[in-house]
Structure formats: C-alpha cells, structure tokens
C-alpha cells in the first residue's frame, strides 16, 4: 500500500509539473510572437502593435510603413511558423508514440519525402496540372503535398499490413525504401524544371517562411488545425500502446483504427507544412524528446506541449534566419538542421545500447 501511495504521489507530482510546464509554454509562445513581430527594421513596440490591433488601426501609434511590415509581413510569418512548428512537433510525438521509438519521425517513414514529391510535382508540372490548380485554387499546392504523403502512407500500409495487422518494423523499412524512391522522383522533376522554378525549388527545399502571406495561412492553416483535432482523443491509446500492441488491445484500444487515424493525421499536417515551407527537419525529433525528458511520456500533456514548444521554437528560428545575415535571409531549414543534427547524434549515442542493428 505504501508503494502504491508513493507511486501515485509521484504521478501527481508529474501531473502538476506538466500543467506548470504547459502554462509556461503558453507564456513562452506569446513572448515568441511578441519577439517576432517587433524584431527587425521597424522599431514599433509591442504596446504600439497591440494598441493598433485593439483600435483597428485607427490610432497613430504606427506609421503606414510599420503597419505594412507588422501586419502584412511579420504577423503572417509568425502565425505560419507557429502552425508549422506545432504541426511538425506533434506529428513527431505521435510517430514516436506509435512506433514506441524516440527516434521516429515523419521523415523516417517517407511521409515528408512523399509530400515533397507532391508539392514539387505541382510546381514543375504546373502546365499539365493546370485544370487541377484551377479547381482547387490556393489549396492546390497543400492538397498536392497531402496527396503525395497519403499515397506514400497507403503504399506503406499495403506492404506492412497483413490480415488486418500492421507490422511497425516492416513499415519502418518500407518507409526508408519509399522515401528513397520519392526523393529520386523529386530529383528527376527538379532536373526538368526551368531556371525560375529551379531557383524557387532550391530555396524552398532548404525550408523558408519568407513567402508567408495571409493567403497561404488560409490555404494551409485549416488543414494543419483539422489534422491535429483528433490527436488529443488519441492520447489514451498512445499511452496504452507504450505497453505493446497486445496489451493495448486488451485494455480496450482499437489499435488498428488508432494507427489509421494517426498516420492520416500526420500525413495531412506534414503535407500542408511541406507545401508552404519546404523541408524543415528535426523539429519532430527534438521537441518531443525534450518534453518527454521534462514532463514524461504521458501523451495527454506531451501532445499540447509539443504543439506549443514546436511552434515557439520555429518562430524563434525564423527570427534568427531573417536577422543573422540581414538584409539577406538564411533558409530556416539550415537553422533547424544546424541545431537538430548534433542533437540527433547525441540522441543516437544515448540510444545506441538499446538499438538492435
């Protein structure tokens, strides 16, 4: 009985810590937004910006130039960065919970590569796919990226699922192979691109929020948000899955349905993110790992915390990308890779005793 009380006491302490961390992450996200929209050429303060928002731009606290910089350039970048960073981080947390492996990531099973192939295909083959672009308008690029990721997912399931059961190990291996094929097809499309498309694709492939607009937020934001809505309801199932698929099934979790919803949701979030930002790596690995170390593996807290921390970190990375070599701008993918690469190697060194090669 004493052991049970001690265990419940520890769990209660971890729950209190998780709520405290979530509160801190909300504050950090607000500070990241404030830092992003007030850093750069404009010297407008956050008080001036908030005052202009409250008064509907009727006051004289901001000049016309400052209003354009803040509301047409910086604010869309901050919002899009938060959506993409949160979507990638939550997707990584879901993949790690699903595969029961802290090194799992949407890129590992080919979803990112498939999404990139769909987006690049829409850009390079714009003339051939003009009827599709006409029908879907601003949604055509994120839909193409989502379809690319979803097709990859369907192929993965065809390979890894047998008699209604999905083998995670087979899915990982098939994902590596399909990711390589998608990258090869993407390379072929890039080879076919003209000079203008090639310049756009080169910068896009390294990841950037430079082209953030309210139109892109309208096109991708709903997809990312809708893809994230089912995930909080999956927290119990992901927690049970840490004990193994058989144990989760006996605990009443519909394991196969959980896998289906998780993979489709991740494909949608990653596809929409890739469509507007290009390749931004390591967010899905770093953020959940940091939070899992801090607040534990309980997905009830891990998923919302990942969304908040991932969004905040990508906002900060974007500020660094656009100020460190000002007036030029670094692709944000270079920032995340420069930080995430060494972090990932450190994780591998910690995990190598548990990995079976």
């Amino acid at each position: 009985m004493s052991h049970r009380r001690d265990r419940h006491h520890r769990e209660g302490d971890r729950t209190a810590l998780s709520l405290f961390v979530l509160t801190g992450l909300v504050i950090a996200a607000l500070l990241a937004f404030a830092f992003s929209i007030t850093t750069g050429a404009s010297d407008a303060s956050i008080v001036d910006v908030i005052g202009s928002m409250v008064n509907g731009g009727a006051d004289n606290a901001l000049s016309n130039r400052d209003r354009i910089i803040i509301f047409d350039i910086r604010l869309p970048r901050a919002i899009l960065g938060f959506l993409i960073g949160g979507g990638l981080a939550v997707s990584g947390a879901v993949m790690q919970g699903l595969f029961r492996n802290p090194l799992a990531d949407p890129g590992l099973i080919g979803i990112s590569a498939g999404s990139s192939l769909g987006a690049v295909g829409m850009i390079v083959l714009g003339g051939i796919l003009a009827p599709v672009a006409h029908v879907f308008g601003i949604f055509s690029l994120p839909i193409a990226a989502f379809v690319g990721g979803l097709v990859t997912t369907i192929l993965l399931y065809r390979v890894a699922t047998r008699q209604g059961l999905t083998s995670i190990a087979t899915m990982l291996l098939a994902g590596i192979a399909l990711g390589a094929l998608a990258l090869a097809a993407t390379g072929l499309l890039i080879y076919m691109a003209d000079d203008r498309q090639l310049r756009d694709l080169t910068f896009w492939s390294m990841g950037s929020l430079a082209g953030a607009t309210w139109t892109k937020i309208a096109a991708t934001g709903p997809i990312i948000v809708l893809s994230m809505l089912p995930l909080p309801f999956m927290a119990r199932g992901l927690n049970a899955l840490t004990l193994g698929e058989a144990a989760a099934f006996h605990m009443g979790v519909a394991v196969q349905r959980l896998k289906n919803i998780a993979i489709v949701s991740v494909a949608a979030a990653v596809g929409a993110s890739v469509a507007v930002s290009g390749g931004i790596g390591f967010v899905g690995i770093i953020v959940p790992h940091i939070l899992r170390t801090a607040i534990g593996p309980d997905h009830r807290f891990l998923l919302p915390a990942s969304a908040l921390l991932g969004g905040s970190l990508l906002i900060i990375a974007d500020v660094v990308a656009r100020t460190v070599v000002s007036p030029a701008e670094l692709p944000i993918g270079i920032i995340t890779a420069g930080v995430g690469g060494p972090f990932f190697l450190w994780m591998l060194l910690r995990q190598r005793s548990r990995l079976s090669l």
Side-chain angles (χ1 to χ4, degrees), residues 28-283:
L30 295 174
L31 292 175
F33 268 102
F35 180 61
S36 177
I37 63 179
T38 57
T39 301
S42 172
D43 56 359
S45 69
I46 188 62
V47 175
D48 294 336
V49 173
I50 294 175
S52 182
M53 288 179 176
V54 171
N55 296 320
D59 60 10
N60 296 319
L62 295 177
S63 66
N64 289 333
R65 171 180 172 273
D66 287 343
R67 285 195 185 93
I68 293 173
I69 292 174
I70 298 296
F71 296 111
D72 293 341
I73 299 175
R74 291 187 191 166
L75 190 57
R77 286 185 74 141
I79 293 175
L80 192 62
F82 186 83
L83 288 171
I84 291 173
L88 293 176
V90 172
S91 297
V94 171
M95 289 290 97
Q96 290 165 19
L98 193 65
F99 294 158
R100 302 185 297 281
N101 188 330
L103 303 181
D105 179 73
L108 189 63
I109 60 171
I111 294 177
S112 296
S115 298
S116 297
L117 176 58
V120 171
M122 179 60 70
I123 293 171
V124 176
L125 304 176
I128 299 174
L129 300 176
V132 177
H134 178 73
V135 171
F136 293 104
I138 61 173
F139 294 96
S140 57
L141 191 61
I143 287 176
F146 167 65
V147 169
L150 191 60
V151 168
T152 304
T153 303
I154 292 172
L155 290 174
L156 279 172
Y157 263 24
R158 300 265 314 170
V159 173
T161 302
R162 185 177 182 182
Q163 297 179 347
L165 298 176
T166 302
S167 168
I168 297 300
T170 303
M171 178 177 281
L172 288 171
L173 294 174
I176 293 172
L178 288 173
L181 289 173
L183 289 175
T186 301
L188 179 61
L189 288 171
I190 292 175
Y191 181 79
M192 297 166 54
D194 58 33
D195 290 341
R196 180 186 60 80
Q197 293 171 338
L198 191 58
R199 283 193 297 270
D200 292 342
L201 288 172
T202 300
F203 193 76
W204 173 83
S205 66
M206 292 184 285
S208 176
L209 298 176
T213 62
W214 293 111
T215 300
K216 288 187 176 181
I217 292 175
T220 60
I223 296 176
I224 296 175
V225 172
L226 288 175
S227 68
M228 295 293 104
L229 288 181
L231 298 181
F233 303 99
M234 298 165 51
R236 173 181 168 272
L238 290 171
N239 286 343
L241 204 58
T242 59
L243 303 175
E245 292 188 19
F249 177 78
H250 290 299
M251 291 172 66
V253 176
V255 175
Q256 194 62 31
R257 184 175 66 182
L258 176 68
K259 293 178 184 178
N260 293 341
I261 297 174
I263 292 295
V264 171
S265 297
V266 168
V270 173
S273 300
V274 166
V276 293
S277 68
I280 298 178
F282 295 104
V283 175

